[in-house]
Amino acid sequence: MAMTTFKAISRKLPGGLAVESESRGFKVIIDEPPSLGGTDTGMNPVEGLLVSLGSCQCIVAAAFAKSQGIDLKEFWVELEGDLDTDGFLKGDPNVRPGYQEIRFTMHIKTDAPQDKVEAFQKFIQSRCPAGDSLGNGVSLKPATIVIDK
């Protein structure tokens, strides 16, 4: 399996800021908290970004632990990111609208020695597609816009 194209559709829901997003038949509601103008019916997009990164790291850990000689008993990731809302809400040209920094802590329950766990952590980071997309950037290419009447 070489290059694969993944697809998603996001639709604004009536009223408020809530959006229903779908991929492969799975749906998620994305919204903003009331402090940012939403109705708090779901996580916001940047929280979803953190969740995507952490989920990807967990999947990589689970998928490759055995081949890396790790007996993975438990694995979870805590993530946080700093975002100046003036870039998004006020359009301040001196402030990025996105994250300035994302930090994460991986927690692993295993009997493997420290050096093997540290090598496994580096392996996870090297194989996580979400982390690669965030850390190395991805080309965003807007397509045409379709006006429905």
Side-chain angles (χ1 to χ4, degrees), residues 68-106:
Q68 296 298 303
I70 300 288
D71 179 19
L72 190 68
K73 294 176 180 21
E74 291 182 35
F75 187 86
W76 71 97
V77 183
E78 293 179 76
L79 304 99
E80 64 183 12
D82 301 321
L83 186 147
D84 186 335
T85 57
D86 282 353
F88 164 59
L89 294 174
K90 297 179 181 175
D92 184 336
N94 299 313
V95 178
R96 288 183 55 195
Y99 280 121
Q100 311 296 309
E101 180 178 84
I102 294 174
R103 296 170 299 284
F104 56 88
T105 302
M106 294 179 181

Short mmCIF file of all heavy atoms in Angstrom, two decimals, residues 68-106:
data_model
loop_
_atom_site.label_atom_id
_atom_site.label_comp_id
_atom_site.label_asym_id
_atom_site.label_seq_id
_atom_site.Cartn_x
_atom_site.Cartn_y
_atom_site.Cartn_z
N GLN A 68 8.82 -4.07 18.46
CA GLN A 68 9.92 -3.29 19.04
C GLN A 68 10.40 -3.90 20.36
O GLN A 68 11.20 -3.28 21.07
CB GLN A 68 9.48 -1.84 19.25
CG GLN A 68 9.16 -1.11 17.97
CD GLN A 68 10.36 -1.00 17.05
OE1 GLN A 68 11.40 -0.48 17.44
NE2 GLN A 68 10.22 -1.50 15.83
N GLY A 69 9.86 -5.08 20.69
CA GLY A 69 10.28 -5.76 21.91
C GLY A 69 9.74 -5.15 23.18
O GLY A 69 10.35 -5.28 24.25
N ILE A 70 8.59 -4.50 23.09
CA ILE A 70 7.97 -3.86 24.25
C ILE A 70 6.70 -4.61 24.62
O ILE A 70 5.81 -4.80 23.78
CB ILE A 70 7.61 -2.38 23.96
CG1 ILE A 70 8.85 -1.57 23.60
CG2 ILE A 70 6.84 -1.76 25.12
CD1 ILE A 70 9.80 -1.28 24.73
N ASP A 71 6.61 -5.06 25.87
CA ASP A 71 5.37 -5.64 26.39
C ASP A 71 4.54 -4.47 26.92
O ASP A 71 4.73 -4.02 28.04
CB ASP A 71 5.68 -6.65 27.49
CG ASP A 71 4.41 -7.27 28.07
OD1 ASP A 71 3.35 -7.22 27.42
OD2 ASP A 71 4.49 -7.80 29.19
N LEU A 72 3.63 -3.99 26.08
CA LEU A 72 2.84 -2.80 26.39
C LEU A 72 1.62 -3.19 27.21
O LEU A 72 0.68 -3.78 26.69
CB LEU A 72 2.42 -2.13 25.07
CG LEU A 72 1.81 -0.75 25.17
CD1 LEU A 72 2.84 0.27 25.64
CD2 LEU A 72 1.26 -0.33 23.81
N LYS A 73 1.65 -2.84 28.49
CA LYS A 73 0.53 -3.15 29.37
C LYS A 73 -0.51 -2.02 29.34
O LYS A 73 -1.71 -2.27 29.28
CB LYS A 73 1.02 -3.39 30.78
CG LYS A 73 1.90 -4.64 30.91
CD LYS A 73 2.44 -4.77 32.31
CE LYS A 73 3.32 -5.94 32.59
NZ LYS A 73 3.99 -6.64 31.58
N GLU A 74 -0.05 -0.79 29.37
CA GLU A 74 -0.90 0.39 29.25
C GLU A 74 -0.10 1.50 28.57
O GLU A 74 1.12 1.55 28.69
CB GLU A 74 -1.36 0.90 30.63
CG GLU A 74 -2.32 -0.01 31.34
CD GLU A 74 -2.78 0.58 32.68
OE1 GLU A 74 -2.93 1.82 32.78
OE2 GLU A 74 -2.99 -0.21 33.61
N PHE A 75 -0.84 2.39 27.89
CA PHE A 75 -0.18 3.52 27.24
C PHE A 75 -1.20 4.64 27.10
O PHE A 75 -2.33 4.42 26.68
CB PHE A 75 0.33 3.12 25.85
CG PHE A 75 1.16 4.19 25.18
CD1 PHE A 75 2.51 4.29 25.42
CD2 PHE A 75 0.56 5.11 24.32
CE1 PHE A 75 3.28 5.28 24.82
CE2 PHE A 75 1.32 6.11 23.72
CZ PHE A 75 2.68 6.19 23.98
N TRP A 76 -0.82 5.84 27.49
CA TRP A 76 -1.66 7.01 27.27
C TRP A 76 -0.78 8.24 27.13
O TRP A 76 0.38 8.24 27.51
CB TRP A 76 -2.72 7.18 28.36
CG TRP A 76 -2.25 7.59 29.71
CD1 TRP A 76 -2.23 8.86 30.24
CD2 TRP A 76 -1.73 6.74 30.75
NE1 TRP A 76 -1.73 8.84 31.52
CE2 TRP A 76 -1.42 7.55 31.86
CE3 TRP A 76 -1.49 5.36 30.84
CZ2 TRP A 76 -0.90 7.05 33.04
CZ3 TRP A 76 -0.96 4.86 32.02
CH2 TRP A 76 -0.67 5.69 33.10
N VAL A 77 -1.37 9.27 26.54
CA VAL A 77 -0.63 10.50 26.27
C VAL A 77 -1.43 11.68 26.81
O VAL A 77 -2.63 11.79 26.58
CB VAL A 77 -0.41 10.70 24.75
CG1 VAL A 77 0.44 11.94 24.49
CG2 VAL A 77 0.23 9.47 24.13
N GLU A 78 -0.76 12.54 27.55
CA GLU A 78 -1.34 13.81 27.99
C GLU A 78 -0.77 14.90 27.10
O GLU A 78 0.44 14.95 26.90
CB GLU A 78 -0.98 14.10 29.44
CG GLU A 78 -1.58 13.15 30.44
CD GLU A 78 -1.16 13.50 31.86
OE1 GLU A 78 -1.71 14.48 32.42
OE2 GLU A 78 -0.28 12.80 32.39
N LEU A 79 -1.66 15.76 26.57
CA LEU A 79 -1.22 16.81 25.65
C LEU A 79 -1.78 18.16 26.06
O LEU A 79 -2.88 18.25 26.63
CB LEU A 79 -1.70 16.51 24.22
CG LEU A 79 -1.30 15.17 23.65
CD1 LEU A 79 -2.44 14.18 23.78
CD2 LEU A 79 -0.91 15.32 22.21
N GLU A 80 -1.04 19.20 25.74
CA GLU A 80 -1.51 20.56 25.94
C GLU A 80 -0.82 21.45 24.92
O GLU A 80 0.28 21.14 24.45
CB GLU A 80 -1.25 21.06 27.36
CG GLU A 80 0.21 21.15 27.74
CD GLU A 80 0.43 21.58 29.18
OE1 GLU A 80 -0.52 21.60 29.97
OE2 GLU A 80 1.59 21.91 29.51
N GLY A 81 -1.50 22.53 24.56
CA GLY A 81 -0.92 23.44 23.59
C GLY A 81 -1.25 24.88 23.93
O GLY A 81 -2.28 25.16 24.55
N ASP A 82 -0.38 25.78 23.52
CA ASP A 82 -0.58 27.21 23.77
C ASP A 82 -1.01 27.89 22.49
O ASP A 82 -0.36 27.76 21.45
CB ASP A 82 0.73 27.83 24.26
CG ASP A 82 1.23 27.18 25.53
OD1 ASP A 82 0.39 26.86 26.39
OD2 ASP A 82 2.46 27.00 25.65
N LEU A 83 -2.12 28.63 22.59
CA LEU A 83 -2.69 29.32 21.45
C LEU A 83 -3.15 30.69 21.91
O LEU A 83 -3.89 30.80 22.90
CB LEU A 83 -3.88 28.50 20.92
CG LEU A 83 -4.55 28.96 19.66
CD1 LEU A 83 -5.06 27.75 18.89
CD2 LEU A 83 -5.71 29.89 19.95
N ASP A 84 -2.71 31.74 21.26
CA ASP A 84 -3.13 33.10 21.57
C ASP A 84 -4.40 33.39 20.78
O ASP A 84 -4.35 33.49 19.54
CB ASP A 84 -2.02 34.09 21.21
CG ASP A 84 -2.31 35.52 21.64
OD1 ASP A 84 -3.50 35.88 21.77
OD2 ASP A 84 -1.35 36.29 21.80
N THR A 85 -5.54 33.50 21.45
CA THR A 85 -6.82 33.66 20.75
C THR A 85 -6.94 34.99 20.01
O THR A 85 -7.83 35.15 19.18
CB THR A 85 -8.01 33.50 21.72
OG1 THR A 85 -7.89 34.45 22.78
CG2 THR A 85 -8.06 32.09 22.27
N ASP A 86 -6.04 35.95 20.25
CA ASP A 86 -6.09 37.20 19.49
C ASP A 86 -5.82 36.96 18.01
O ASP A 86 -6.31 37.70 17.16
CB ASP A 86 -5.08 38.22 20.04
CG ASP A 86 -5.56 38.90 21.31
OD1 ASP A 86 -6.73 38.69 21.70
OD2 ASP A 86 -4.76 39.63 21.92
N GLY A 87 -5.06 35.95 17.69
CA GLY A 87 -4.80 35.63 16.28
C GLY A 87 -6.05 35.16 15.57
O GLY A 87 -6.27 35.45 14.40
N PHE A 88 -6.92 34.42 16.28
CA PHE A 88 -8.17 33.89 15.72
C PHE A 88 -9.30 34.90 15.87
O PHE A 88 -9.97 35.24 14.89
CB PHE A 88 -8.51 32.57 16.43
CG PHE A 88 -9.91 32.09 16.24
CD1 PHE A 88 -10.41 31.83 14.98
CD2 PHE A 88 -10.74 31.89 17.33
CE1 PHE A 88 -11.71 31.38 14.80
CE2 PHE A 88 -12.04 31.43 17.17
CZ PHE A 88 -12.52 31.18 15.90
N LEU A 89 -9.54 35.38 17.08
CA LEU A 89 -10.70 36.23 17.34
C LEU A 89 -10.55 37.65 16.83
O LEU A 89 -11.50 38.24 16.34
CB LEU A 89 -11.01 36.25 18.84
CG LEU A 89 -11.46 34.92 19.44
CD1 LEU A 89 -11.60 35.04 20.95
CD2 LEU A 89 -12.78 34.48 18.81
N LYS A 90 -9.36 38.21 16.96
CA LYS A 90 -9.16 39.62 16.60
C LYS A 90 -8.41 39.80 15.29
O LYS A 90 -8.26 40.92 14.82
CB LYS A 90 -8.42 40.33 17.73
CG LYS A 90 -9.23 40.36 19.03
CD LYS A 90 -8.48 41.06 20.13
CE LYS A 90 -9.30 41.06 21.40
NZ LYS A 90 -8.56 41.62 22.52
N GLY A 91 -7.90 38.72 14.72
CA GLY A 91 -7.16 38.83 13.47
C GLY A 91 -5.88 39.64 13.60
O GLY A 91 -5.43 40.25 12.64
N ASP A 92 -5.29 39.63 14.79
CA ASP A 92 -4.05 40.36 15.02
C ASP A 92 -2.97 39.81 14.08
O ASP A 92 -2.60 38.65 14.16
CB ASP A 92 -3.61 40.17 16.48
CG ASP A 92 -2.37 40.96 16.86
OD1 ASP A 92 -1.56 41.29 15.97
OD2 ASP A 92 -2.20 41.25 18.06
N PRO A 93 -2.46 40.65 13.16
CA PRO A 93 -1.47 40.17 12.19
C PRO A 93 -0.14 39.77 12.81
O PRO A 93 0.67 39.10 12.17
CB PRO A 93 -1.30 41.36 11.24
CG PRO A 93 -1.69 42.55 12.05
CD PRO A 93 -2.75 42.07 13.02
N ASN A 94 0.09 40.14 14.06
CA ASN A 94 1.33 39.80 14.74
C ASN A 94 1.23 38.51 15.55
O ASN A 94 2.19 38.13 16.21
CB ASN A 94 1.76 40.95 15.67
CG ASN A 94 2.01 42.22 14.89
OD1 ASN A 94 2.68 42.20 13.87
ND2 ASN A 94 1.45 43.32 15.37
N VAL A 95 0.05 37.88 15.49
CA VAL A 95 -0.17 36.67 16.29
C VAL A 95 -0.68 35.56 15.39
O VAL A 95 -1.65 35.74 14.65
CB VAL A 95 -1.20 36.93 17.42
CG1 VAL A 95 -1.46 35.67 18.21
CG2 VAL A 95 -0.74 38.06 18.33
N ARG A 96 -0.02 34.43 15.43
CA ARG A 96 -0.51 33.26 14.68
C ARG A 96 -1.88 32.86 15.21
O ARG A 96 -2.09 32.86 16.41
CB ARG A 96 0.43 32.07 14.87
CG ARG A 96 1.75 32.18 14.16
CD ARG A 96 2.58 30.93 14.36
NE ARG A 96 1.81 29.76 13.93
CZ ARG A 96 2.13 28.52 14.23
NH1 ARG A 96 3.18 28.27 14.96
NH2 ARG A 96 1.40 27.52 13.78
N PRO A 97 -2.79 32.43 14.35
CA PRO A 97 -4.09 31.96 14.84
C PRO A 97 -4.03 30.53 15.38
O PRO A 97 -4.96 30.08 16.02
CB PRO A 97 -5.00 32.04 13.61
CG PRO A 97 -4.08 31.96 12.45
CD PRO A 97 -2.77 32.57 12.89
N GLY A 98 -2.95 29.85 15.16
CA GLY A 98 -2.83 28.45 15.60
C GLY A 98 -1.92 28.30 16.80
O GLY A 98 -1.49 29.27 17.41
N TYR A 99 -1.67 27.04 17.12
CA TYR A 99 -0.81 26.73 18.26
C TYR A 99 0.58 27.32 18.08
O TYR A 99 1.16 27.27 17.00
CB TYR A 99 -0.67 25.21 18.43
CG TYR A 99 -1.83 24.56 19.13
CD1 TYR A 99 -2.56 23.56 18.51
CD2 TYR A 99 -2.18 24.92 20.43
CE1 TYR A 99 -3.63 22.94 19.16
CE2 TYR A 99 -3.23 24.31 21.08
CZ TYR A 99 -3.94 23.32 20.45
OH TYR A 99 -4.99 22.70 21.08
N GLN A 100 1.11 27.84 19.18
CA GLN A 100 2.50 28.28 19.21
C GLN A 100 3.40 27.10 19.58
O GLN A 100 4.52 27.00 19.11
CB GLN A 100 2.70 29.39 20.27
CG GLN A 100 1.69 30.52 20.18
CD GLN A 100 1.78 31.30 18.89
OE1 GLN A 100 2.86 31.73 18.51
NE2 GLN A 100 0.67 31.50 18.23
N GLU A 101 2.85 26.23 20.44
CA GLU A 101 3.61 25.08 20.90
C GLU A 101 2.64 24.01 21.40
O GLU A 101 1.62 24.33 22.00
CB GLU A 101 4.56 25.48 22.04
CG GLU A 101 5.40 24.33 22.57
CD GLU A 101 6.36 24.77 23.66
OE1 GLU A 101 5.96 24.85 24.83
OE2 GLU A 101 7.53 25.04 23.30
N ILE A 102 2.97 22.75 21.14
CA ILE A 102 2.23 21.61 21.68
C ILE A 102 3.21 20.76 22.46
O ILE A 102 4.30 20.45 21.98
CB ILE A 102 1.58 20.77 20.55
CG1 ILE A 102 0.50 21.58 19.84
CG2 ILE A 102 1.01 19.47 21.11
CD1 ILE A 102 -0.10 20.89 18.62
N ARG A 103 2.83 20.43 23.69
CA ARG A 103 3.66 19.59 24.55
C ARG A 103 2.90 18.31 24.87
O ARG A 103 1.67 18.34 24.99
CB ARG A 103 4.00 20.32 25.85
CG ARG A 103 4.85 21.57 25.63
CD ARG A 103 4.98 22.40 26.90
NE ARG A 103 3.70 22.90 27.40
CZ ARG A 103 3.02 23.93 26.88
NH1 ARG A 103 3.48 24.56 25.82
NH2 ARG A 103 1.88 24.32 27.41
N PHE A 104 3.62 17.22 25.02
CA PHE A 104 2.95 15.98 25.39
C PHE A 104 3.85 15.13 26.27
O PHE A 104 5.08 15.22 26.20
CB PHE A 104 2.49 15.19 24.15
CG PHE A 104 3.57 14.85 23.18
CD1 PHE A 104 4.32 13.69 23.32
CD2 PHE A 104 3.84 15.70 22.11
CE1 PHE A 104 5.31 13.38 22.41
CE2 PHE A 104 4.84 15.40 21.19
CZ PHE A 104 5.58 14.23 21.35
N THR A 105 3.19 14.34 27.10
CA THR A 105 3.87 13.39 27.96
C THR A 105 3.29 12.02 27.69
O THR A 105 2.07 11.83 27.77
CB THR A 105 3.68 13.75 29.46
OG1 THR A 105 4.17 15.07 29.68
CG2 THR A 105 4.39 12.76 30.36
N MET A 106 4.15 11.09 27.33
CA MET A 106 3.72 9.72 27.10
C MET A 106 3.87 8.94 28.40
O MET A 106 4.89 9.06 29.08
CB MET A 106 4.57 9.05 26.02
CG MET A 106 4.41 9.64 24.65
SD MET A 106 5.49 8.79 23.47
CE MET A 106 5.12 9.69 21.98
#
